[in-house]
Amino acid sequence: MQQNIFNSIRSMKIMDACKGTQVHALKPSAAAAADRSSVSAADKLLHTSFDHSKTPPGRTKSVSTTASRHDAVSETLLPCGLPASELLEPSIEPSLRPLDFVETLARVHRRAESCVALEKSEVYLEQCAVLRGLPDPKLFRRGLREARRHAAEVHAKVVLASWLRYERREDELVGSNSMDCCGRNLECPKASLVPGYDHESVFDRCTCFRREIVSDCVVRSQECERECSTSSEYVDGIGDRDAEDDDVFFCIGDSEISCRRYSMAALSRPFETMLCGGFLECRREKINFSMNCVSVEAMMAVEVFSRTKRLSEFPPNVILEMLSFANKFCCEEMKHACDTHLASLVLDMDDAVLLIEYGLEETAYLLVAACLQVFLRELPGSLQRWSVMKLFCSPEGRDRLALVGHVSFVLYYFLSQVAMEEEMRSNMTVMLLERLGECAVEGWQKQLAYHQLGVVMLERKEYKDAQRWLEAAVEAGHIYSLVGVARAKYKLGHMSSAYEMINSLTENYKPVGWMYQERSLYCTGKEKMLDLLSATELDPTLSFPYKYKAVSLLEENKIGAAISEIDKIIGFKVSPDCLELRAWFLIAMKDYEGALRDVRAILTLDPNYMVFYGNMHGGHLVELLRPVAQQWSQADCWMQLYDRWSSVDDIGSLAVVHKMLENDPGKSILRFRQSLLLLRLNSQKAAMHSLRLARNHSCSAHERLVYEGWILYDTGYREEALAKAEESISIQRSFEAFFLKAYALADSSLDSESSKYVINLLEEALRCPSDGLRKGQALNNLGSVYVDCGKLDLAADCYKHALNIKHTRAHQGLARVYHLKEQHKTAYDEMTKLIAKARNNASAYEKRSEYCDRDMAKSDLILATQLDPLRTYPYRYRAAVLMDDHKEDEAIAELSRAIGFKPDLQLLHLRAAFHDSMGDYISTVRDCEAALCLDPTHAETLELCNKARERINEQK
């Protein structure tokens, strides 16, 4: 059976995946023809410049004519000229940025461990604010889950559950309802409205995995029938009541409502005093209630509730009147019942907009919570409604919410983050941040609110206000905000004051990369370049030093060196701004193919990106570049994609997929491929967007379920992802469904039985139709499972078959097999093949270092660090070697250097172990606590931390 799979793979040709597109390419579509017929003026200019066919036979174009036309093209493509170094500025992060990240992480973890249960939610929210500054969004989401898990109040549950949903951006999923839940109490809209501390059950399945969707006509007919009910229906709800028990009548106009005196008296203290106390009414059989603004229907409903404590038979308009009645006469039990029932009726935006006014007026806590929940789960769209924006943004709206108990820092933290992502400079963003500042009580809350407000004011070029808010953040303890204060002063013309402020930072605090980066703005010449060098040494992930050096080289006419400089950071940290700069350089070099590649990659990362200082949309630049770049059919694109994928050229692959999606925007498999590439480039936000588009463009139910499964898996819902895969397989057996299930199962530690099951799933996947790119990945994964099971020969077969279909990364797995077979030279050679083929090969150098002697390993790891300073293994290896050589201080320094710009779990754990071996148990505990803040379940760190604490206690 195994051999049959491999035989079928061996016979598979790359062109099989392109057959349909090849035939299609022979007969251009009407859309493509229309595209050619609507050529812009810029396109015509470019065609004219490069159309050599118009040259008369026997004649050639002069060099000067060609050069002038190249100049015309360059002018069209570079309307803003070349980039200028004096216009470059580093960005100021809008998140918290502590001077000592490790100590801050450790402190937050200690607080979470030691505080009482009801305070944990607030502590985890602070942890979220700290983790927001790290590049891994999964850490932030994990903190949000913990904050929701420990929330006790309905308000906090509603906000945090909605925020978790927003992180998945389910508003982008066509056909989804904002009140759908993913199946866990954690995000369930109904569970959020239940008060109480439920941290043990929050990850359990909810009771409403999917709310049944009832047609509008049925709902409206039912509501109409209920609203048209007569008072006789209320009598039907009374049951076998005995009219002789009624001893008081409430008169409203000509109607008399018979009631039980003691049942009515039990509704509230005012009724008890009136009916059973010293008032005249206590001796009357009839009480005139006409002046109390209550209808006959509502009074009858009040009477029924006084005896039955039920509301289900009453229409919403009557219950709203009962709510007002309960407020007026202090009927707390009835108010709570009305509040709870009305809250359960809020199912969509129209309900929420209508009912929130009643809730605010009657101070109905749960009703307002239910309406807020809809608004929050509909973000960002709900903020486009004037009434919703006014409620959240205005001081008056905040006061109204506060009266009902629905104003909090977490609410405005969530809202302001959404607004900043949508449009940082908008008035709405400013107003929400102002409300956030008003809600800030603790120090970290003030730091965050004031700092973000200051950063937004800088973006709006309101420098005096920016300085004021950033100074407030500094006063609250956020030292990083001094960068913003200095920038505001610089913009206001106080350059020397800005320099002195940042210079004092480098003198008074432990140097950090961003300090030197900022100081470089306020100096020139060698001093500027020295500061940029220091910034890069301390934090090689800062992009501004690379950008500035590259543009400076361009200004010196060293364009090749400029591209090499910007390539350094693009090699390990892909961002639209750096790609834009490289595209700019490539246009100047007349490498239009390379420039088009980079602009397409930019638009994949950010479809709305504006190039050339924000003066041109990236899509327009693609239109200008397309005529002067090579034209590919869809079949050509498939071949180009295979070539780039096999050479591990992720940016080139992105560009090809972007081109293919222009021709076929509804192709879900291309969107899925795009998401995989983006994940490899650590662009998770863009990857999830592509995955949601893949789901929306799915042409079948089983395909849609697979993409929904990947969305759930990538956002931490592994069990739900497995359920989606199984449901998809039950509809149709497919490669992607089996692959998803195998991938999700292999995510945990596998025993022998689980490994066999994963192997079977991957074998089933390989039997299903797919293209070579995906089958190569499946073979690679299958080989990894075989290695873990000790079946090295089978693993080697998998890797070799993967290599036959151009899955280049399989060289790494095959090298591992050779290494385990004690064939170290062969393993080394296998990794050398990968280095030769791969465009991005930092990981290949890192892995090859395992298969050679110490000196060669050291050389490979130096190269790996130069290519990608974010890879942590080289630092850990070098530190371990130094420890073996009894150079403890140097080993600690090696780890500390990396931790300074990347507080990584493994780096922190290793440094804690080193401190422990040196007897520095306080530092051991600090590093362990910081690591546990990143992953509280890491068993080895927990054990090390507990032992170090015991030793500290023994020394006291």
Side-chain angles (χ1 to χ4, degrees), residues 33-67:
D35 285 344
R36 286 196 296 274
S37 66
S38 57
V39 182
S40 67
D43 289 343
K44 289 178 181 177
L45 169 64
L46 295 172
H47 279 302
T48 302
S49 301
F50 283 82
D51 190 357
H52 297 277
S53 65
K54 294 186 179 180
T55 306
R59 296 179 60 185
T60 58
K61 297 183 180 179
S62 67
V63 175
S64 61
T65 303
T66 305

Side-chain angles (χ1 to χ4, degrees), residues 254-321:
D254 296 331
S255 301
E256 294 183 354
I257 298 93
S258 60
C259 305
R260 293 177 182 173
R261 182 180 297 271
Y262 288 103
S263 295
M264 292 294 293
L267 288 175
S268 69
R269 183 63 61 86
F271 268 112
E272 181 184 16
T273 304
M274 179 178 69
L275 297 174
C276 303
F279 288 86
L280 291 175
E281 284 83 355
C282 71
R283 293 187 293 275
R284 290 179 179 174
E285 289 187 359
K286 295 184 178 181
I287 299 173
N288 188 353
F289 237 55
S290 299
M291 303 300 292
N292 283 291
C293 301
V294 59
S295 67
V296 174
E297 291 83 1
M299 196 66 209
M300 293 179 70
V302 169
E303 187 279 326
V304 172
F305 180 83
S306 72
R307 292 179 293 99
T308 65
K309 309 301 181 188
R310 293 203 313 269
L311 293 170
S312 57
E313 62 266 34
F314 308 132
N317 63 314
V318 171
I319 297 178
L320 283 169
E321 200 172 349

Side-chain angles (χ1 to χ4, degrees), residues 58 153 167 177 218 273 278 337 444 533 570 672 729 803 898-899 913:
E153 295 180 355
E167 285 294 307
N177 186 289
V218 174
T273 304
W444 72 268
L533 181 61
I570 291 175
F672 179 56
I729 292 168
L803 289 171
I899 290 169

Side-chain angles (χ1 to χ4, degrees), residues 700-735:
S700 62
H702 74 88
E703 187 181 20
R704 184 177 67 252
L705 286 165
V706 169
Y707 298 143
E708 289 177 357
W710 279 115
I711 291 170
L712 288 165
Y713 176 81
D714 287 339
T715 49
Y717 294 89
R718 178 173 167 273
E719 296 299 324
E720 287 76 6
L722 284 168
K724 292 284 185 182
E726 290 169 1
E727 187 179 354
S728 178
I729 292 168
S730 70
I731 297 172
Q732 181 173 322
R733 298 163 63 85
S734 69
F735 174 90

Side-chain angles (χ1 to χ4, degrees), residues 893-946:
E894 177 70 20
L895 293 174
S896 299
R897 186 166 74 90
I899 290 169
F901 60 84
K902 186 178 182 180
D904 173 82
L905 171 67
Q906 293 178 321
L907 290 171
L908 287 165
H909 174 80
L910 185 58
R911 192 172 74 171
F914 286 177
H915 282 306
D916 185 71
S917 68
M918 296 164 64
D920 185 355
Y921 303 122
I922 293 176
S923 296
T924 301
V925 170
R926 179 205 59 203
D927 284 351
C928 284
E929 288 172 339
L932 291 170
C933 190
L934 301 175
D935 182 2
T937 64
H938 195 257
E940 292 180 1
T941 304
L942 281 167
E943 182 181 358
L944 181 60
C945 188
N946 291 333

Side-chain angles (χ1 to χ4, degrees), residues 507-527:
E507 294 174 350
N508 298 330
Y509 297 96
K510 181 181 177 181
V512 186
W514 54 259
M515 295 179 185
Y516 291 96
Q517 173 179 268
E518 187 66 21
R519 194 174 69 175
S520 71
L521 281 183
Y522 315 126
C523 52
T524 57
K526 289 184 178 179
E527 188 178 354

Side-chain angles (χ1 to χ4, degrees), residues 437-733:
E438 292 165 1
C439 295
V441 177
E442 296 185 30
W444 72 268
Q445 295 175 345
K446 293 178 181 179
Q447 292 175 25
L448 180 66
Y450 301 157
H451 177 72
Q452 290 189 335
L453 196 46
V455 171
V456 168
M457 290 302 182
L458 280 175
E459 289 288 321
R460 289 163 61 97
K461 303 187 188 308
E462 298 176 21
Y463 300 122
K464 288 185 178 179
D465 286 338
Q467 182 178 337
R468 177 168 56 87
W469 285 114
L470 289 162
E471 286 175 342
V474 174
E475 188 177 347
H478 193 234
I479 304 301
Y480 176 67
S481 294
L482 281 171
V483 170
V485 177
R487 193 75 62 87
K489 288 187 173 186
Y490 171 62
K491 294 295 185 180
L492 292 169
H494 308 302
M495 187 167 180
S496 60
S497 178
Y499 178 86
E500 290 170 5
M501 179 172 288
I502 300 301
N503 191 53
S504 67
L505 274 177
T506 62
E507 294 174 350
N508 298 330
Y509 297 96
K510 181 181 177 181
V512 186
W514 54 259
M515 295 179 185
Y516 291 96
Q517 173 179 268
E518 187 66 21
R519 194 174 69 175
S520 71
L521 281 183
Y522 315 126
C523 52
T524 57
K526 289 184 178 179
E527 188 178 354
K528 188 183 196 80
M529 298 311 292
L530 284 172
D531 273 352
L532 291 174
L533 181 61
S534 297
T536 302
E537 286 177 350
L538 289 167
D539 186 352
T541 67
L542 295 172
S543 62
F544 175 74
Y546 300 95
K547 291 165 66 176
Y548 185 88
K549 292 174 192 173
V551 175
S552 297
L553 289 166
L554 176 72
E555 291 171 337
E556 296 172 8
N557 244 355
K558 299 176 181 177
I559 192 165
I563 292 174
S564 297
E565 183 65 30
I566 203 66
D567 279 345
K568 290 178 183 177
I569 190 163
I570 291 175
F572 67 90
K573 186 181 178 182
V574 177
S575 63
D577 58 329
C578 292
L579 285 172
E580 178 197 0
L581 208 54
R582 188 169 73 177
W584 217 331
F585 297 160
L586 291 168
I587 291 172
M589 282 187 72
K590 299 180 176 57
D591 181 359
Y592 304 121
E593 198 77 41
L596 181 57
R597 173 204 63 205
D598 283 352
V599 178
R600 289 190 182 281
I602 289 169
L603 292 173
T604 306
L605 294 166
D606 182 357
N608 299 314
Y609 192 82
M610 303 291 287
V611 297
F612 303 145
Y613 303 119
N615 291 315
M616 181 189 291
H617 190 279
H620 182 57
L621 184 54
V622 168
E623 294 298 319
L624 295 176
L625 285 165
R626 187 186 289 123
V628 294
Q630 185 177 354
Q631 303 298 306
W632 294 335
S633 69
Q634 199 76 341
D636 293 332
C637 288
W638 272 110
M639 294 302 298
Q640 291 291 332
L641 180 59
Y642 270 80
D643 288 342
R644 282 158 175 72
W645 196 285
S646 64
S647 64
V648 198
D649 178 9
D650 294 332
I651 293 174
S653 299
L654 271 187
V656 175
V657 172
H658 186 271
K659 163 67 178 172
M660 296 170 80
L661 284 168
E662 280 184 342
N663 301 332
D664 194 357
K667 193 76 169 177
S668 59
I669 188 63
L670 290 176
R671 295 287 183 187
F672 179 56
R673 186 90 64 213
Q674 192 178 67
S675 73
L676 297 175
L677 287 164
L678 288 164
L679 281 176
R680 278 176 21 180
L681 292 169
N682 295 318
S683 302
Q684 192 174 68
K685 182 179 177 182
M688 293 302 293
H689 178 68
S690 295
L691 196 49
R692 288 189 291 272
L693 288 175
R695 181 264 188 197
N696 290 343
H697 288 296
S698 300
C699 56
S700 62
H702 74 88
E703 187 181 20
R704 184 177 67 252
L705 286 165
V706 169
Y707 298 143
E708 289 177 357
W710 279 115
I711 291 170
L712 288 165
Y713 176 81
D714 287 339
T715 49
Y717 294 89
R718 178 173 167 273
E719 296 299 324
E720 287 76 6
L722 284 168
K724 292 284 185 182
E726 290 169 1
E727 187 179 354
S728 178
I729 292 168
S730 70
I731 297 172
Q732 181 173 322
R733 298 163 63 85

